[in-house]
Amino acid sequence: MTARTPRRWFHSSLLLALAALGGCQTSPRAEAVASGQARPHNVIVMINDGAGWGTWDAAAYWQYGSREGAPYADFPQRLAVTTFPLNSSSQPTGDNAQTLGYDAGKAWDTGPVPAQDLPFAGYQYLAAVATDSAAAGTALSSGIKTYNNAINFNNDGQPVEFNTLRAKRLGMATGVVTSVPFAHATPAAFAAQNESRNNYHAIAHQMLAQGHLDLVMGTGGPGYSVDGRACDEGAGAAKAEGCANPWEWVSQQDWQQLEAGSTIAGNPSGPWRLIRSKEDFAALAQGRLPADRPLIGVPRVANTLQQARQLQVLGRDAAMPSGVRKIDSVPDLATMTRGALRFLLQRSSNGLFLMVEGGATDWAAHTSACGTEWHYGQCGDQPQYGRLIEETVEFNDAVAAVVEWIERNGGWEHNLLIVTTDHDNSMPMGPEAQNVAFAPVRNNGRGRMPGMSFRPTGNHSNALVPLWAKGAGAELLGQRVRGVDAGYRQHVRWNDGSYIDNTDVAAAVQEALQRPR
């Protein structure tokens, strides 16, 4: 990819604010603030990318034996979320017309249609037009609807503010963590502004140069294959998978400056500390690395932590849902998350704002149809059900790590945790779902592969997705209910069908951050 000259979208007033954080905090009110109305000291937003309701169920059945074992299952706020973008365009159209939406009657229509892949009218409706991760991430981060491809850009082609910037103005430490490249759409939506998600070099440069982030974690660095092997090992095409384009996600110049410990483009926060080894990630999680400069952690693997690994290189492991042995030289998402929390807590006494993404769940779901949206390594004649489960298990473990951290660091009165996804992908349901509309995933017991199937679209859908929230400000989400979907209540059974919009997530976080301490 040719590197583009990055455009600096952050307003000068913001950059001045970042240089003088101590003077930009909201002044406390003189009157006492009720504990239920206080601003959360720490805000963590966790996004299991591309996880439809069947994905959550399948992973919970394999990992815990039931839904109730999930670390978020008993959270007081349990809502559905609409995810549609502003329109079906992939570039700005210069108007604010909301041309897409969600119709519950059409979404759950069980009328049969003569189509092999999508045999029910509801399936047809949900698969017709859907958001991508950029527009959905923008909605979750900034609170606006926009076109697909946009990273915090509105339909007029202008940058918009997002909650990471608001948190930084309050003096909070900020960061993003992901299991996929750090410049990919969802982390980008919490860290950058760009007219297109595909401008990876410009997005990465913003993240590394503007001074609004204290921490970045994700794949995307050069030198290692999808199996965690050094690219210079040679020995065949399989072992070199992921090595062909070392500068796909970050420019060579920016990477070399990271390795040299040089300040990138005058970053007001100074040079980054780069860590890559599994041992360094463990040391960070244990509090054995300093927090004297911003930190970027890029594991020694291409594209994803585990999802893209190859059977012919790593061998079999019958204990894994995919049957493939894990790469043992990279950290897991839970360790990365623990390290991020510990590091950010040291960076500011004013709290932290962190987004954690299980990004490769979406990559596994895209295997429902080869040759469509799939472009992340190998795609065979069978979808990656096992890897879909593995990625959500890793995400669940990261959620459990956050819950444990919250209980040790101020409790739920001082922390806000939101767990959700950005969109459905391929409508995972039960094995009978091509004959019985919306048949649920079959629970075969803990440690046993659940019965499931995809709709073979290879792409996202417009289905409602689940959200769970707990802590200071979580009630603000429940106050934004836009309707009750009887079909969601009947088929998904996580709540009474109450749903909000994805823009309400950003709005609720923004309102929580505006509360007095």
Side-chain angles (χ1 to χ4, degrees), residues 30-184:
E31 67 269 20
V33 178
S35 60
Q37 296 297 314
R39 184 202 309 165
H41 191 68
N42 305 300
V43 178
I44 303 103
V45 179
M46 304 190 72
I47 299 169
N48 190 20
D49 199 301
W53 50 269
T55 298
W56 300 93
D57 285 353
Y61 296 156
W62 189 90
Q63 188 173 13
Y64 311 111
S66 72
R67 284 175 156 190
E68 287 68 34
Y72 39 80
D74 63 351
F75 281 12
Q77 295 296 327
R78 294 187 289 266
L79 298 161
V81 185
T82 53
T83 65
F84 52 87
L86 182 69
N87 53 43
S88 59
S89 178
S90 58
Q91 59 188 9
T93 60
D95 62 71
N96 293 317
Q98 180 69 60
T99 63
L100 300 176
Y102 174 80
D103 185 319
K106 293 180 179 178
W108 301 102
D109 188 343
T110 59
V113 296
Q116 181 178 355
D117 290 347
L118 300 169
F120 298 103
Y123 295 0
Q124 297 268 333
Y125 169 75
L126 292 172
V129 181
T131 189
D132 76 341
S133 291
T138 294
L140 292 166
S141 180
S142 73
I144 70 156
K145 293 288 189 183
T146 190
Y147 60 94
N148 284 338
N149 278 342
I151 298 293
N152 294 311
F153 256 57
N154 64 24
N155 202 39
D156 292 322
Q158 296 299 315
V160 297
E161 190 170 51
F162 51 100
N163 280 336
T164 306
L165 300 183
R166 297 183 176 103
K168 178 56 77 173
R169 278 207 307 272
L170 294 170
M172 302 172 80
T174 58
V176 293
V177 175
T178 181
S179 60
V180 298
F182 67 85
H184 214 253

Side-chain angles (χ1 to χ4, degrees), residues 8 24 56 64-65 78 93 153 160 182 234 277 303 368 396 476 482-483:
R8 292 180 177 265
C24 297
W56 300 93
Y64 311 111
R78 294 187 289 266
T93 60
F153 256 57
V160 297
F182 67 85
S277 72
N303 296 343
S368 69
N396 286 342
L476 296 171
R482 298 188 179 219

Side-chain angles (χ1 to χ4, degrees), residues 276-359:
R276 301 209 69 184
S277 72
K278 183 178 181 179
E279 293 72 23
D280 278 346
F281 280 96
L284 185 70
Q286 295 161 8
R288 294 190 285 111
L289 294 186
D292 57 333
R293 63 174 70 180
L295 182 139
I296 180 168
V298 184
R300 291 171 173 165
V301 66
N303 296 343
T304 72
L305 295 178
Q306 296 287 347
Q307 179 269 336
R309 70 193 192 278
Q310 300 176 99
L311 173 63
Q312 63 267 43
V313 176
L314 291 164
R316 296 188 180 278
D317 182 349
M320 297 298 297
S322 68
V324 180
R325 189 166 66 88
K326 292 179 72 173
I327 305 166
D328 59 11
S329 58
V330 299
D332 57 24
L333 189 63
T335 299
M336 293 166 68
T337 301
R338 290 188 190 97
L341 290 168
R342 192 148 193 170
F343 177 83
L344 292 174
L345 193 65
Q346 298 177 71
R347 288 285 291 178
S348 175
S349 62
N350 293 315
L352 62 88
F353 182 88
L354 175 66
M355 191 286 298
V356 178
E357 182 203 24

Side-chain angles (χ1 to χ4, degrees), residues 226-241:
V226 296
D227 303 297
R229 306 294 176 89
C231 288
D232 56 11
E233 283 186 5
K239 291 188 177 181
E241 180 69 29

